[in-house]
C-alpha cells in the first residue's frame, strides 16, 4: 500500500523549503509570526521571537507576510 501525502503536508513543506515569513492565526484569535522550520503529523515548529511547537488542530489560518 502506497503512502499518500496530504495537500496540507505538501503546503507546509513548501513553506518550510521557501523559508516564507508567516503570520499564523490560532482559533482563539492569537497571531504568531515567524518562519516554519519543521512539522510532523500533529505539530508545526515556528521560529519567530521564540521557537514554538503549535498543534495543527489549533490553527485557523496561515498567511504569508509581504
Amino acid at each position: 500500500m502506497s503512502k499518500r501525502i496530504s495537500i496540507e503536508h505538501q503546503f507546509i513543506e513548501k513553506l518550510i523549503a521557501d523559508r516564507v515569513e508567516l503570520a499564523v492565526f490560532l482559533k482563539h484569535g492569537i497571531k504568531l509570526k515567524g518562519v516554519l522550520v519543521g512539522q510532523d503529523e500533529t505539530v508545526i515548529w515556528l521560529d519567530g521571537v521564540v521557537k514554538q511547537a503549535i498543534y495543527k488542530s489549533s490553527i485557523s489560518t496561515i498567511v504569508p507576510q509581504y
Side-chain angles (χ1 to χ4, degrees), residues 5-20:
I5 299 175
S6 70
I7 293 173
E8 171 189 291
H9 183 82
Q10 292 174 357
F11 173 71
I12 292 172
E13 284 296 321
K14 178 73 170 147
L15 293 174
I16 293 168
D18 292 348
R19 300 209 34 93
V20 177

Side-chain angles (χ1 to χ4, degrees), residues 1-57:
M1 186 162 120
S2 67
K3 185 175 180 181
R4 293 177 45 178
I5 299 175
S6 70
I7 293 173
E8 171 189 291
H9 183 82
Q10 292 174 357
F11 173 71
I12 292 172
E13 284 296 321
K14 178 73 170 147
L15 293 174
I16 293 168
D18 292 348
R19 300 209 34 93
V20 177
E21 285 281 331
L22 303 171
V24 178
F25 292 91
L26 304 182
K27 290 180 180 177
H28 297 290
I30 297 170
K31 179 182 178 182
L32 304 171
K33 291 182 180 181
V35 176
L36 290 179
V37 292
Q39 75 167 329
D40 67 13
E41 290 184 20
T42 58
V43 176
I44 63 168
W45 288 276
L46 184 70
D47 188 8
V49 176
V50 295
K51 290 185 180 178
Q52 302 177 54
I54 305 162
Y55 284 104
K56 290 179 179 179
S57 62

